[in-house]
Amino acid sequence: MANVLEVKDVYKHLGKREIIKGISFSVKEGEIFGFLGPNGAGKTTTIRMLVGLIAPNKGTISIMGHEIGKEREKALSSVGAVVENPELYTYLSGRENLMQIARIRKIPKGEVDKVVELVKLSDRINDKVKKYSLGMKQRLGLAAALLADPRLLILDEPTNGLDPTGIMEFREIVKHASKERNTAVFISSHILSEVQQLCDTVAFINDGKIQSVESITGGQIKNETETLVLVTREAKNCSEVLKQLDYVYEVSAEENVFTINAKEDSSPEIAATLVEKGIAIKEMYKKHSELEQRYMELVEGGKK
C-alpha cells in the first residue's frame, strides 16, 4: 500500500520556542492513523502544517508524493479536513452548504447525494443548519471534507463536545468512509478510548516529539516496536552505541537506566552489539503494556 502522507524530520519553532522537534511518520491509503497526546503536545501545530497554514522550519511534508513546500496546490488538492468547528452557513440548509462547495470545486451534484448518504444526514439535509445538533454539524463538516473524494482526510479533535451517541455515530462513519473509499485518515485526539476504537495505528506525541508509533488490532496494541529497559554502569559509551543502531528509534536515559524504543524482537541484537563493544549489561528487560499504560508511560512519564 502506498503512503498518502509522509512527514520527515519536521521541526517548527514559534519565536524562540521549539514546538515540534523532529517528527517523522507516514500514513498509508485506507489507514486510520491516530495522533495521540495531551493538550499542548504539538498536535494542532502539526495539523496546521499538514493543511498548509504554516510552514515547517525544517523537514518535509509530502501528500501523494507532492511536497507542500514545493508543490503546494498539487499536495493540498488531495486533502479534506475538519479542523475544530467546521465553517458552515447556519442560515442555509445542509444541502445548500454542500452545493456551494460543489459549485466552487466543480464537483458533480451526484457526489453531494453520495456523501449525504455516507454521513447519514439524508433525512435532515434540507433543514437549515441552525436547527442541527452539534453532532449533525460535525457530520455535515465531514461531508464537506469528503466531497472532493480526498486521498487524505484530516480530523482535529472531531468528537469534542459530542455526546456518547454522537461519538459512536461519528466513529462508524469515519471507519466506513476510510474503508469504502480507501482514504487515509489522520485523526488528532487526546481521548484514549476514541483512538483505541477507531485507529489502525497510533503515534504518541508529547512535548513536540513522537515517543512511539504502534499498531492497534481489535482495540489492542500490536507492537511493531518494543520498549526495553537497560541498566548499565557505562552510560556514556552505551548511549553512543545505541544511537548508531538503525533498529533503535528512541533512547532516553536517567543516570544508568536507559529506556529504548526499538524494532520488535531486536533485543538480542542490541545485547550482542553492546557486549561486543565491551559494555557490561547489568539488567535488560522488555516492557509490556496496553494503550492506556503506553500513554501513561510515554506521555505522562515524558512530562518533566
Side-chain angles (χ1 to χ4, degrees):
M1 279 194 295
N3 284 340
V4 173
L5 170 66
E6 284 191 12
V7 174
K8 285 185 185 165
D9 203 26
V10 163
Y11 288 79
K12 180 68 187 171
H13 52 74
L14 298 173
K16 286 184 180 171
R17 194 162 148 250
E18 200 167 44
I19 309 285
I20 300 295
K21 305 167 184 176
I23 64 172
S24 299
F25 61 88
S26 59
V27 185
K28 296 179 178 66
E29 52 191 21
E31 178 181 22
I32 303 179
F33 185 97
F35 203 50
L36 181 65
N39 294 329
K43 301 192 300 294
T44 301
T45 302
T46 302
I47 282 192
R48 292 182 74 206
M49 289 191 283
L50 297 184
V51 297
L53 289 174
I54 55 174
N57 294 103
K58 190 179 154 200
T60 60
I61 297 169
S62 302
I63 298 162
M64 298 301 288
H66 302 291
E67 199 187 309
I68 294 182
K70 292 177 182 167
E71 302 179 276
R72 182 188 168 84
E73 227 166 279
K74 273 186 181 169
L76 296 178
S77 68
S78 301
V79 177
V82 182
V83 181
E84 289 161 11
N85 294 325
E87 290 292 314
L88 302 164
Y89 297 108
T90 56
Y91 58 88
L92 296 177
S93 70
R95 184 181 298 281
E96 285 165 337
N97 267 277
L98 295 177
M99 289 304 292
Q100 293 262 33
I101 298 162
R103 270 195 294 274
I104 294 162
R105 291 193 159 201
K106 299 184 171 55
I107 293 161
K109 185 175 173 289
E111 273 304 302
V112 173
D113 297 328
K114 275 188 206 164
V115 294
V116 167
E117 205 170 307
L118 189 66
V119 302
K120 301 189 171 126
L121 272 178
S122 302
D123 55 339
R124 298 288 304 276
I125 197 65
N126 295 315
D127 293 359
K128 285 201 168 28
V129 171
K130 62 182 169 200
K131 293 181 180 172
Y132 282 14
S133 67
L134 183 60
M136 287 163 67
K137 284 177 184 164
Q138 287 293 71
R139 281 189 274 151
L140 186 62
L142 185 56
L146 289 168
L147 253 186
D149 196 14
R151 304 318 310 131
L152 174 66
L153 179 63
I154 295 173
L155 306 171
D156 185 13
E157 302 279 3
T159 58
N160 261 4
L162 296 189
D163 61 21
T165 310
I167 290 172
M168 279 166 68
E169 282 174 352
F170 196 86
R171 192 188 300 142
E172 288 315 306
I173 290 163
V174 170
K175 273 186 186 171
H176 185 59
S178 167
K179 301 306 169 227
E180 190 183 270
R181 297 181 165 218
N182 211 20
T183 308
V185 180
F186 176 93
I187 182 163
S188 137
S189 183
H190 65 282
I191 304 167
L192 282 165
S193 57
E194 181 177 276
V195 168
Q196 196 158 2
Q197 291 175 64
L198 181 59
C199 299
D200 307 305
T201 310
V202 57
F204 296 87
I205 183 169
N206 192 32
D207 191 28
K209 286 188 238 170
I210 288 179
Q211 312 288 339
S212 180
V213 178
E214 300 181 13
S215 295
I216 300 175
T217 33
Q220 304 298 313
I221 278 188
K222 173 178 161 285
N223 280 342
E224 283 168 7
T225 61
E226 59 186 20
T227 303
L228 304 166
V229 177
L230 170 71
V231 184
T232 173
R233 287 196 184 92
E234 297 157 64
K236 191 172 184 296
N237 295 347
C238 182
S239 180
E240 280 164 17
V241 172
L242 289 172
K243 282 175 182 169
Q244 285 165 9
L245 300 178
D246 287 347
Y247 40 84
V248 171
Y249 306 132
E250 185 98 26
V251 180
S252 59
E254 280 191 26
E255 292 176 359
N256 296 335
V257 181
F258 287 81
T259 303
I260 304 159
N261 181 247
K263 189 180 173 189
E264 190 180 15
D265 296 329
S266 61
S267 49
E269 288 103 312
I270 292 171
T273 306
L274 291 172
V275 169
E276 193 185 301
K277 301 279 184 185
I279 293 161
I281 297 169
K282 199 173 169 192
E283 192 181 351
M284 186 171 176
Y285 60 89
K286 195 189 289 191
K287 273 190 180 182
H288 297 278
S289 53
E290 294 311 327
L291 191 64
E292 198 156 335
Q293 286 164 288
R294 287 299 280 146
Y295 184 81
M296 297 309 283
E297 260 171 47
L298 295 164
V299 172
E300 298 300 323
K303 282 187 179 172
K304 292 278 175 279

